[in-house]
Amino acid sequence: MPVPGQTLPSGIHFLASVVRGQWGLAASAPLLALFWYLKSGDVAWGMALSGPVVLALAWLPLWRAGHRLAQLPLASPRQRLIRALCADRDAAQGQTVCILLNLDDTPRLLERYSPATLDRTMDALADRAQQTLRDQDHCAALAPGLIAIAMAPAARYDLETALQIGARLQARLSDPIPVGEDPQRLSFSVGIALSAQVASGSGDAVLAAAETALKRAQYAGAGSIRVHDPARPVPQIPDTARITRALDALESGQIRPWFQPQVSNDTGDISGVEALARWVHPDRGLLGPAEFFPEIEAAGRFERLGEVMRRHAYLALKTWDTDGLDIPGIGVNVTLAELRNPAFADKIAWELDGFDILPHRLTLEILESVVSGTSGDVVARNIQMLASYGCGLDLDDFGTGHASITSLRRFPVGRIKIDRSFVTGVDHDRNQQQMISAIVTMAERLDLDALAEGVETPGEHAMLAQLGCTHVQGYGIARPMPQDDLPAWVHELRHRLPKPAPLHRKLG
């Protein structure tokens, strides 16, 4: 049977009506009249009525065809959306975009309101979405609380355009709307897929990619936006109880940053600190990231971990400033999950503004493997925007991710962090020395600073300074420490620094 709310073509309506109403009676009346007149012997009248009879008999096959067509199911909203997403294959140029907007509060609203009320609200929201779009764009409701959009093919679609459209739709649907008799602001998570980023490019594949992006958006939290990324791996899920314990620790403040100093080889003074996540466990003591990172990743909460770490880092900087402790800046690690969030760069800008911290005092440490495997996608956009805001960018674990010189020049990196595998034993290993020297020379030619990680002995520190490495970090310099312990360490470091020679003015 036809789906409620769908319309049949007018010809099928007409054919179907033959058997269902007055047309059925009109077709049967001439047959009865013909039978009566032939029986009474009035041949002339019988022949006169034969024309309508023939006409009625001629309509019979058409009526049967119309009846069969009337019983056929029409294309579902999902099928029509898929056909719209296939349009780019027939277009001379360009691609299409699929955008899914899912109501975050669907379970709560269904508890408070009837399904019919929610359906009416979603219909009104779909109308809003269509008003935001062009006439040729397709908008459909695929499920309760879910609005799907297929943008008509265009040559100008790129990541930035798709994100702007998704954010504009999200903002428009979030404007107050009556739900029953109560005006409410509703929150929507958004999943986006560009057909050019989907291997097969079929309508089914594009829709499936948008659905995957939407799931990741919902996993990240209400109101999130995610774009399809075919390279993103599916994390292995640890034990549920372990995940729960790690998340409880994150929200209760047990997981927090410890700060490891970074020292300049030019001045001998502290040049910054790196915030490293530690779990201060009430029973097991201090735990490193290997004890909780897998659980945080499996829960999809790396972004929340980043928020917690940065908030502590901002507060630490403000405290040190108030105490008169000059710490130039602080570095925080950025995960690929965070960089895949289209709003990540703007989030950082809002945080810095809210804590009144100058952008150059925040350094974001990005793994070399992320840069080497990144093209013109959300990750690259975020990196470029963060640099434009004035944040520092460190390329972490350099030498392990196969980043090319082209990658280093394409992204606004300010410093490379030489992986500890090149640092260990550098004071007595000639091959290690040659490798470090080559990296430092390349950094100088590219106008980049270099920081050596994992420095554990005075000999390694001295050799790195001789090889021209400008910054060092590691257990041989200082172990990660709580915020309150850093001032004493800095004062001791500066106490050991050579005092500048006094200026003597020649008398005479």
Side-chain angles (χ1 to χ4, degrees):
M1 293 299 292
V3 178
Q6 295 178 333
T7 58
L8 294 169
S10 58
I12 297 177
H13 263 307
F14 173 75
L15 292 173
S17 68
V18 171
V19 75
R20 284 194 279 241
Q22 290 81 3
W23 285 99
L25 294 175
S28 60
L31 291 174
L32 295 174
L34 174 63
F35 175 78
W36 188 84
Y37 278 110
L38 288 176
K39 185 176 180 181
S40 65
D42 195 335
V43 177
W45 277 104
M47 293 299 294
L49 291 173
S50 64
V53 172
V54 171
L55 179 62
L57 292 174
W59 269 103
L60 184 60
L62 295 176
W63 165 77
R64 286 175 176 170
H67 182 70
R68 286 195 298 271
L69 287 172
Q71 308 309 310
L72 291 177
L74 296 181
S76 68
R78 185 182 183 90
Q79 291 170 329
R80 292 198 300 272
L81 182 79
I82 290 173
R83 283 202 294 264
L85 291 171
C86 289
D88 68 317
R89 292 185 297 179
D90 303 322
Q93 59 180 347
Q95 60 173 319
T96 188
V97 177
C98 181
I99 303 175
L100 300 180
L101 300 107
N102 193 81
L103 181 62
D104 293 320
D105 293 335
T106 300
R108 179 183 64 82
L109 292 171
L110 284 175
E111 289 179 0
R112 184 173 179 183
Y113 303 99
S114 68
T117 298
L118 185 58
D119 287 343
R120 287 193 294 271
T121 301
M122 293 306 300
D123 289 341
L125 289 168
D127 290 340
R128 273 192 191 178
Q130 189 65 65
Q131 292 168 10
T132 308
L133 303 169
R134 303 162 300 178
D135 292 340
Q136 60 267 37
D137 297 328
H138 183 81
C139 181
L142 297 191
L146 178 63
I147 294 175
I149 292 161
M151 305 297 297
R156 65 181 181 276
Y157 288 140
D158 55 16
L159 175 68
E160 188 69 30
T161 302
L163 286 172
Q164 290 176 359
I165 295 172
R168 186 167 69 245
L169 285 165
Q170 184 187 47
R172 185 70 182 91
L173 296 188
S174 298
D175 288 341
I177 190 169
V179 182
E181 298 180 355
D182 308 318
Q184 295 192 31
R185 284 186 178 272
L186 302 178
S187 170
F188 285 83
S189 296
V190 183
I192 302 174
L194 285 75
S195 60
Q197 300 296 322
V198 179
S200 69
S202 67
D204 288 287
V206 176
L207 177 56
E211 289 172 336
T212 300
L214 177 61
K215 289 178 182 177
R216 296 194 183 280
Q218 293 171 313
Y219 216 47
S224 297
I225 301 178
R226 290 295 180 273
V227 179
H228 168 64
D229 184 352
R232 184 170 185 181
V234 178
Q236 297 295 319
I237 302 178
D239 177 75
T240 303
R242 290 172 57 92
I243 294 175
T244 300
R245 287 194 293 269
L247 294 181
D248 289 343
L250 178 62
E251 297 303 331
S252 66
Q254 293 179 18
I255 296 178
R256 63 182 79 127
W258 281 39
F259 302 94
Q260 186 171 38
Q262 300 164 339
V263 171
S264 168
N265 279 334
D266 294 334
T267 66
D269 198 359
I270 185 170
S271 58
V273 294
E274 180 182 0
L276 299 169
R278 296 291 185 267
W279 183 352
V280 185
H281 197 285
D283 301 320
R284 300 171 60 194
L286 189 66
L287 303 179
E291 296 289 339
F292 56 91
F293 268 22
E295 287 73 22
I296 297 294
E297 180 180 18
R301 300 294 285 170
F302 260 141
E303 287 190 72
R304 176 57 181 159
L305 174 63
E307 291 173 356
V308 170
M309 294 291 290
R310 290 193 304 274
R311 181 176 182 276
H312 281 288
Y314 301 143
L315 291 172
L317 273 179
K318 299 298 287 185
T319 300
W320 295 328
D321 288 348
T322 301
D323 294 342
L325 187 68
D326 181 19
I327 302 298
I330 194 164
V332 295
N333 291 280
V334 178
T335 64
L336 188 55
E338 291 174 294
L339 289 171
R340 283 182 170 132
N341 180 357
F344 179 67
D346 289 333
K347 179 189 293 187
I348 294 295
W350 295 332
E351 290 174 354
L352 292 170
D353 184 64
F355 282 90
D356 192 25
I357 292 174
L358 295 176
H360 76 269
R361 300 189 70 192
L362 176 68
T363 296
L364 302 163
E365 302 192 5
I366 304 169
L367 288 174
E368 179 193 1
S369 57
V370 172
V371 173
S372 61
T374 297
S375 58
D377 58 4
V378 177
V379 176
R381 172 180 175 270
N382 273 323
I383 293 174
Q384 296 288 351
M385 290 183 67
L386 289 167
S388 70
Y389 295 154
C391 296
L393 295 176
D394 278 3
L395 193 61
D396 204 2
D397 292 348
F398 185 81
T400 63
H402 310 293
S404 65
I405 295 178
T406 302
S407 297
L408 289 175
R409 299 311 296 163
R410 188 160 57 91
F411 294 101
V413 175
R415 183 170 65 179
I416 58 176
K417 298 187 72 175
I418 303 171
D419 186 68
R420 68 182 61 202
S421 61
F422 298 104
V423 172
T424 303
V426 71
D427 52 333
H428 56 75
D429 188 326
R430 182 61 180 167
N431 290 331
Q432 295 285 71
Q433 294 169 15
Q434 291 174 342
M435 182 65 71
I436 293 288
S437 179
I439 294 174
V440 169
T441 300
M442 180 198 67
E444 290 176 348
R445 296 294 176 86
L446 296 176
D447 197 25
L448 302 175
D449 280 336
L451 182 149
E453 297 183 284
V455 180
E456 296 191 357
T457 68
E460 290 172 353
H461 186 184
M463 179 55 69
L464 289 165
Q466 291 179 34
L467 294 173
C469 188
T470 48
H471 301 270
V472 288
Q473 173 184 352
Y475 282 9
I477 309 299
R479 289 178 173 269
M481 62 189 72
Q483 171 187 330
D484 294 341
D485 291 356
L486 187 69
W489 184 90
V490 172
H491 289 313
E492 183 181 351
L493 172 71
R494 289 173 176 165
H495 180 73
R496 296 196 307 263
L497 291 177
K499 300 298 185 290
L503 295 176
H504 297 284
R505 187 173 59 184
K506 186 176 181 181
L507 300 176

